[in-house]
Amino acid sequence: MATLASTVKWQAFHLQAAVTTSSQPPAWTAIQPQPTDHTVQQHLRLEAFEGKFDVKEFVGTISEKLIAQSKSHAGPFDPKPFIRTFEAAVDKLITVRKDVQTKTEQMEKSVRVGEREYSKKMAELNRGFEAVGQSFTGMENKMNEVGRTAIRVGEQLESVHQQRQRAQAAYDLIDYYNQFSRGDTSQVDSLKKEGKQGRRQVAVLLRRLNVVAKDVDLPIAEKTRENIDKYCEKFEKDMLHLFDRAYRKGDPKMMHHCAQTLLDFNGGASCVQVYVNQHDFFINRVRETNHADDAQLWDALPDPDASPPKDEPGLAELFKEIRGTVGQEAQIVQAVFPNPPYVMQVFLQRVFAQSIQQHLENLVNAGSAISDLAFLRMLQMVHRQTAILVEDLKGYELPSTGPKSPEGSDFQRSLTGASSVSSAAHSASVSTMLETAMEELFVPYLEGNRYIERESKNLTELYASFLTTFTRYHGRVQKGGKSSMFDRVVNQLSATAATTSTTGGTTTSAAAAAAILRYGGLSAKEQEKEEPVQEEDGQLNINVAEIMLRWHAEAVGRCVELSLTGDVPKHAFALLRVLAAAIGSTYIELALETAQAKVEVADGKAEPNLQSLDILSEVDYICHLWQQYVNMAILPLASSSVTIRREMTVFNNQTVSRIEGGANHIIQKVADAIIAWLSSQLTKQKRTDFKPRNDDLSFARVNTEPCEACCETLEKVRDAAKSTLSGKNLEVFLTEIGVAFHSLLLEHLKKFPVSATGGLMLAKDLKSYQDTVATFGIPALHERFEFIRQLGNVFLVRPDILKSYITEGYLGRIDATLLRPYLAQRSDWGQAEKGFNDSTGDDGGASEVKGLRDRFGMGRLSMIMKDLEPLNLRDHMTMPSLPERFTGLSMPSRAAFGGTNGGP
């Protein structure tokens, strides 16, 4: 109705607008309206205003015909037809508007009446709905009250039922107890024959009777207890026999019934044992290890240069069979037994304790019969493969379904006592059991210090065997000489090998020492059968060090894998000690000791043997490689233990310090021998070399014989040093040689008279010295030998310019009185000395010389040489301690051993 009223109002609005627009007649004339034709009447009907209305279109439609008529008549425009038509249209529109208004008012009245009736009906409906809602609320309250009453009644009924069950159970127990006291089992037998349900009831009843029989204190209690025990034993045997028959027939339903019944009876442990013991995997499975099938693996096992084995065919076959068997058993156990996790644990424990352990013992015993390395490699391989197997078997973690027993009352639980076997079986998961089983499997080989002692013994024997020829060579070289470090090492090893532990057994240290003596050929008996050795057998070789480090790295890898996490730092330190003893003491220090002995016994009057420097290069490379290995592979393993890491660092510093001390001692001895040789060559200088009698012969020579010998020696020293040393070590060594030779020349020039022509020979010699030392490439030596050259020129200048020459350049820095020993060797010094004294005695001359001295800031020869004093190598042989985080060794040589630029 509201829609209808809106439509009517909208039509009335359009009509009123049309009437309003068209009902304004022109004021300039009064013309009577004319009746409109049929077309105009169609547009003035009410239906024309119901749709979309346009005033312009409406006016155009009415006047369309009039416009056409006006165009058809010639003459002026006649508005009268238009006026009459529109006046008639306006009158019609007014009539239509009145009709519309009348209809609108009627419709509005009808709408208001309808709205009032609708409101009344809605109010009545709301009152009806409220009444229905109140009825439902009342009904719901009544239902809730009835429900609460039913719950209370149910609780009371449950309590009554439980009391009745307790009473019935107590009555049945007492009745059956009395029957057993009389020896009557007919009723129990009949109950057992009722099928599966009867057997389960008998199992529960017998378990209760066992509990009651232990608490009853009556005269007939002992006999009754015996009767009950006998019947329980017979019942268990019958159920196990039934389970065995079902197992052989492959009847999983009957097996499940027997397992569940025995679980209700005594926890089901006997049923599980029968199932596991009769499994085909454990019956008639005698595995024999046949090494002939894989001879290549066993032949390469004791070879330290061969790769460790990844797998063993027999072990791989066994583990493959275990994976397949466990996969099948997991499904069977889950379908048959009510407590599958416990059964899987028992089965897997049997697998580890019988099959895997037996094969493990065969393999490691076979490896142990070959060598310690074969034993350790086989143990590592089995451990790795077993760990992979354990991870695979952890995927068979079965869900625990719990015992499916019909009993559930408190009284029954108090009587049954909850099977301890079943509850214990669920306390640990299969994953935990597997980890424990694997740990127990390797306890005989890894417990305590057994593993690390055998690992250390293996490395010691390998190193001793590998260095047999090396140690025998150095033993022969040092034999017969004074007591050396080699002798001390041999004596100490002999004493250690002779010691035994307090229990009478040989200690690990004693065994290791005996192995070194045995493999090194150091015992008295074996020394009698020594084979010939060559020079190259005793030389250091970085390839040997690489092999030793590779063997050690394999041992460290085994240590990390086989040791407990908390024992890794301690075991890594033990292996570091073995490596330090082998590569440090037995290899490097022994070679340094031999080299030092050779230098010490060398003839001081003979040309020094610079081959002793060759060992320093190899020591440098080996120590760098060794310490980088320690930094990257050993020290990170001790990161979890600050104490052990600190001990490692201190121990490593001490070992390296000993090596550097030996290297420093050698290079010091070599330097001393070089300086002594140069000094001996200078002593061969003839007094007539710089004061020749035959000038032609003198000029025919380029240099004197001592000069040529010294330059040749210096060139050999330079070449040998640059080929064996580098960085700061090379610089310090050549600096000392140059400084010491410079000092020798200063003393040498004081001893020989020099003539005018001899001064030319001296200048040639000094120039050769300067050029040779310049090839050292040491800036500190350039100034020293330039001073020597200018000092030699004092024998060439004329006496009249001698005074001015010594006051200029390098010589100007020196007090003239310090130069007198050199000037006195001039052959014309007798005539030149008087003028020189007069000039120097003059105040002006003295002031001039003093001014030069002040200008250069030097007044004495000792002061100009103060910064260039010969270096004392022994004062500089220090080794900086390694930082807490070791960054590797820089193996310098000579005075600054331990410097950062000493490495190659």
Side-chain angles (χ1 to χ4, degrees):
M1 296 179 67
T3 304
L4 178 61
S6 300
T7 303
V8 173
K9 289 180 180 180
W10 179 251
Q11 293 175 352
F13 170 75
H14 282 295
L15 182 59
Q16 185 176 1
V19 173
T20 304
T21 305
S22 305
S23 61
Q24 301 293 334
W28 53 273
T29 181
I31 301 173
Q32 294 295 327
Q34 294 182 355
T36 58
D37 55 10
H38 180 70
T39 304
V40 175
Q41 290 294 334
Q42 292 294 329
H43 289 285
L44 294 177
R45 296 177 59 188
L46 180 61
E47 291 79 0
F49 301 98
E50 291 179 354
K52 184 178 180 182
F53 179 76
D54 188 1
V55 176
K56 293 182 179 181
E57 184 180 355
F58 174 75
V59 174
T61 302
I62 294 177
S63 58
E64 181 179 1
K65 187 175 182 181
L66 297 176
I67 293 172
Q69 292 177 359
S70 175
K71 290 180 178 180
S72 63
H73 295 288
F77 174 71
D78 186 10
K80 293 180 181 179
F82 289 92
I83 295 172
R84 287 194 296 269
T85 300
F86 279 103
E87 286 180 349
V90 169
D91 294 339
K92 181 63 175 177
L93 289 175
I94 291 172
T95 303
V96 172
R97 184 177 64 181
K98 291 180 179 179
D99 294 341
V100 170
Q101 288 178 349
T102 303
K103 291 181 180 180
T104 301
E105 292 175 356
Q106 292 176 355
M107 289 181 179
E108 288 178 351
K109 291 179 180 179
S110 299
V111 167
R112 286 193 292 270
V113 172
E115 287 178 350
R116 285 194 296 269
E117 292 178 355
Y118 175 77
S119 298
K120 291 179 181 179
K121 289 181 179 180
M122 290 300 297
E124 292 176 357
L125 290 175
N126 287 336
R127 287 192 294 271
F129 277 116
E130 290 178 358
V132 172
Q134 292 176 356
S135 299
F136 274 107
T137 302
M139 186 181 297
E140 184 179 6
N141 293 334
K142 293 179 180 180
M143 292 177 63
N144 291 337
E145 184 177 356
V146 172
R148 287 191 292 270
T149 303
I151 291 174
R152 289 194 298 270
V153 172
E155 292 175 351
Q156 294 175 359
L157 290 176
E158 179 68 20
S159 177
V160 171
H161 179 66
Q162 290 178 356
Q163 293 176 2
R164 180 181 176 280
Q165 279 188 327
R166 292 193 186 100
Q168 184 64 40
Y171 174 80
D172 293 340
L173 283 177
I174 294 172
D175 184 26
Y176 284 110
Y177 185 84
N178 291 330
Q179 292 179 17
F180 274 101
S181 65
R182 297 190 302 268
D184 182 12
T185 61
S186 58
Q187 189 173 354
V188 178
D189 293 336
S190 62
L191 181 62
K192 185 173 65 174
K193 295 177 182 179
E194 291 181 1
K196 296 181 179 180
Q197 189 64 29
R199 284 190 288 268
R200 292 193 64 182
Q201 292 179 2
V202 170
V204 175
L205 175 64
L206 292 177
R207 186 174 72 249
R208 295 176 184 174
L209 287 173
N210 261 326
V211 176
V212 173
K214 294 177 182 178
D215 296 333
V216 173
D217 187 12
L218 294 174
I220 61 173
E222 187 65 28
K223 182 180 179 180
T224 306
R225 188 181 304 113
E226 292 178 0
N227 294 336
I228 294 175
D229 290 340
K230 290 180 181 179
Y231 196 88
C232 288
E233 183 178 355
K234 180 178 179 299
F235 176 78
E236 183 176 12
K237 289 181 179 179
D238 293 342
M239 293 305 301
L240 290 176
H241 180 67
L242 183 61
F243 179 85
D244 183 57
R245 285 193 303 171
Y247 178 70
R248 297 181 185 279
K249 293 180 180 180
D251 187 357
K253 293 184 179 180
M254 181 57 68
M255 292 173 63
H256 176 74
H257 163 67
C258 295
Q260 182 66 60
T261 302
L262 289 172
L263 177 67
D264 294 338
F265 176 64
N266 61 358
S270 57
C271 179
V272 175
Q273 291 298 329
V274 169
Y275 174 77
V276 173
N277 293 336
Q278 294 184 358
H279 199 282
D280 294 338
F281 186 79
F282 305 108
I283 299 176
N284 298 326
R285 292 297 180 119
V286 179
R287 296 177 174 83
E288 295 182 358
T289 304
N290 189 2
H291 301 335
D293 296 340
D294 196 359
Q296 183 178 1
L297 182 147
W298 290 96
D299 292 342
L301 202 61
D303 184 5
D305 294 324
S307 300
K310 302 293 183 181
D311 203 348
E312 194 269 333
L315 185 68
E317 181 182 358
L318 173 62
F319 283 1
K320 180 180 179 181
E321 186 177 359
I322 290 174
R323 289 184 176 92
T325 302
V326 172
Q328 297 175 0
E329 291 306 308
Q331 300 177 1
I332 297 175
V333 166
Q334 197 167 4
V336 171
F337 292 93
N339 51 348
Y342 170 67
V343 181
M344 284 300 298
Q345 290 183 30
V346 174
F347 183 81
L348 292 174
Q349 285 175 347
R350 181 72 175 273
V351 169
F352 274 82
Q354 179 175 325
S355 303
I356 298 180
Q357 184 174 1
Q358 179 182 0
H359 200 79
L360 167 64
E361 291 175 353
N362 292 336
L363 291 178
V364 297
N365 290 337
S368 180
I370 298 175
S371 67
D372 287 335
L373 179 60
F375 167 82
L376 293 170
R377 282 181 166 180
M378 191 56 65
L379 183 65
Q380 180 191 20
M381 185 271 294
V382 177
H383 187 276
R384 182 185 298 114
Q385 295 300 323
T386 306
I388 297 174
L389 175 66
V390 167
E391 292 299 322
D392 294 342
L393 295 181
K394 287 181 179 179
Y396 296 104
E397 186 78 49
L398 300 180
S400 177
T401 58
K404 300 178 181 179
S405 177
E407 48 185 321
S409 65
D410 296 337
F411 178 73
Q412 292 166 340
R413 285 192 294 271
S414 65
L415 289 177
T416 59
S419 175
S420 59
V421 176
S422 179
S423 60
H426 294 83
S427 60
S429 63
V430 173
S431 300
T432 305
M433 185 280 304
L434 288 172
E435 294 176 356
T436 304
M438 179 178 175
E439 183 179 352
E440 293 176 351
L441 195 64
F442 292 92
V443 163
Y445 312 102
L446 305 178
E447 186 178 19
N449 294 326
R450 294 178 183 176
Y451 161 71
I452 195 60
E453 288 179 355
R454 193 149 191 175
E455 191 73 74
S456 300
K457 177 175 176 287
N458 167 61
L459 274 179
T460 303
E461 292 179 352
L462 286 178
Y463 290 153
S465 177
F466 187 53
L467 300 177
T468 300
T469 307
F470 180 84
T471 53
R472 188 166 63 247
Y473 167 82
H474 288 280
R476 286 190 176 185
V477 171
Q478 300 182 22
K479 199 171 185 179
K482 62 180 182 178
S483 178
S484 61
M485 186 190 76
F486 180 83
D487 300 323
R488 295 191 298 271
V489 170
V490 172
N491 295 334
Q492 183 178 1
L493 290 176
S494 300
T496 304
T499 59
T500 56
S501 64
T502 56
T503 59
T506 304
T507 62
T508 303
S509 302
I516 294 178
L517 291 174
R518 182 173 66 256
Y519 286 100
L522 304 179
S523 61
K525 295 182 180 180
E526 294 180 356
Q527 286 180 357
E528 298 176 357
K529 302 178 181 180
E530 291 178 351
E531 298 178 358
V533 292
Q534 301 178 356
E535 181 71 22
E536 52 269 17
D537 293 336
Q539 295 179 354
L540 295 179
N541 191 335
I542 193 171
N543 294 329
V544 174
E546 289 179 354
I547 293 174
M548 297 173 71
L549 292 178
R550 186 169 65 249
W551 294 352
H552 192 270
E554 180 184 339
V556 171
R558 279 194 298 268
C559 172
V560 174
E561 181 176 344
L562 299 178
S563 301
L564 297 176
T565 305
D567 294 337
V568 170
K570 178 178 62 177
H571 291 173
F573 191 15
L575 295 180
L576 176 61
R577 291 180 182 275
V578 175
L579 177 64
I583 199 172
S585 301
T586 308
Y587 193 57
I588 298 177
E589 291 188 54
L590 187 57
L592 290 174
E593 182 79 8
T594 302
Q596 179 180 340
K598 289 182 178 180
V599 173
E600 290 177 350
V601 300
D603 187 3
K605 298 180 180 180
E607 184 177 0
N609 186 3
L610 300 179
Q611 292 181 353
S612 300
L613 295 177
D614 295 339
I615 192 176
L616 300 179
S617 177
E618 291 299 324
V619 170
D620 191 356
Y621 282 107
I622 292 174
C623 283
H624 266 97
L625 180 63
W626 171 23
Q627 295 306 306
Q628 286 294 336
Y629 169 76
V630 171
N631 177 41
M632 298 176 62
I634 304 300
L635 287 178
L637 298 179
S639 58
S640 60
S641 176
V642 178
T643 304
I644 295 180
R645 183 182 177 87
R646 185 182 298 110
E647 292 177 357
M648 276 188 182
T649 305
V650 172
F651 172 78
N652 196 73
N653 285 341
Q654 293 173 349
T655 304
V656 175
S657 297
R658 288 198 310 270
I659 295 174
E660 295 193 353
N664 285 338
H665 188 73
I666 291 176
I667 202 169
Q668 180 67 60
K669 291 294 183 181
V670 171
D672 293 343
I674 293 172
I675 300 304
W677 175 254
L678 291 174
S679 178
S680 66
Q681 295 304 306
L682 290 177
T683 57
K684 297 178 181 180
Q685 192 83 55
K686 299 178 182 179
R687 295 189 63 82
T688 59
D689 284 346
F690 304 126
K691 196 176 181 180
R693 297 177 181 179
N694 189 338
D695 294 343
D696 293 336
L697 293 177
S698 299
F699 282 105
R701 296 181 303 174
V702 179
N703 296 109
T704 62
E705 294 180 1
C707 175
E708 293 176 351
C710 289
C711 289
E712 182 181 357
T713 300
L714 291 174
E715 290 174 353
K716 291 179 180 179
V717 171
R718 175 201 63 201
D719 296 339
K722 289 188 176 181
S723 63
T724 56
L725 304 177
S726 61
K728 194 68 176 177
N729 303 325
L730 175 64
E731 178 183 350
V732 172
F733 176 72
L734 293 179
T735 298
E736 175 165 352
I737 299 298
V739 169
F741 185 60
H742 173 268
S743 300
L744 292 176
L745 291 178
L746 287 177
E747 295 298 324
H748 183 69
L749 293 179
K750 296 179 181 180
K751 301 176 181 178
F752 298 93
V754 181
S755 63
T757 56
L760 296 175
M761 292 301 300
L762 178 60
K764 292 179 182 179
D765 285 358
L766 296 180
K767 187 64 171 64
S768 296
Y769 294 145
Q770 184 182 17
D771 293 342
T772 302
V773 173
T775 60
F776 287 6
I778 308 299
L781 298 178
H782 296 166
E783 186 176 359
R784 285 179 173 271
F785 281 85
E786 177 62 22
F787 171 79
I788 286 287
R789 188 187 65 81
Q790 293 189 19
L791 182 61
N793 290 339
V794 300
F795 301 103
L796 297 176
V797 301
R798 298 192 306 274
D800 55 338
I801 63 173
L802 181 60
K803 171 182 173 296
S804 62
Y805 179 75
I806 65 175
T807 59
E808 297 175 356
Y810 284 89
L811 299 181
R813 307 178 188 180
I814 308 301
D815 191 346
T817 58
L818 299 176
L819 299 177
R820 282 183 178 273
Y822 304 98
L823 297 176
Q825 299 301 326
R826 286 175 60 104
S827 58
D828 58 349
W829 179 244
Q831 295 81 14
E833 181 179 11
K834 182 178 180 182
F836 186 82
N837 291 335
D838 294 341
S839 300
T840 56
D842 183 70
D843 293 340
S847 300
E848 182 180 357
V849 174
K850 185 176 184 302
L852 288 172
R853 292 201 306 267
D854 294 341
R855 183 182 63 186
F856 287 105
M858 303 290 287
R860 298 178 57 191
L861 181 61
S862 60
M863 294 181 64
I864 193 175
M865 297 302 175
K866 184 177 182 180
D867 294 334
L868 302 175
E869 287 293 333
L871 299 178
N872 187 350
L873 297 183
R874 298 176 181 85
D875 296 338
H876 296 272
M877 287 183 281
T878 58
M879 171 62 187
S881 60
L882 275 69
E884 191 65 23
R885 179 171 177 80
F886 185 70
T887 57
L889 170 68
S890 178
M891 186 64 188
S893 54
R894 196 58 185 143
F897 247 83
T900 56
N901 300 324

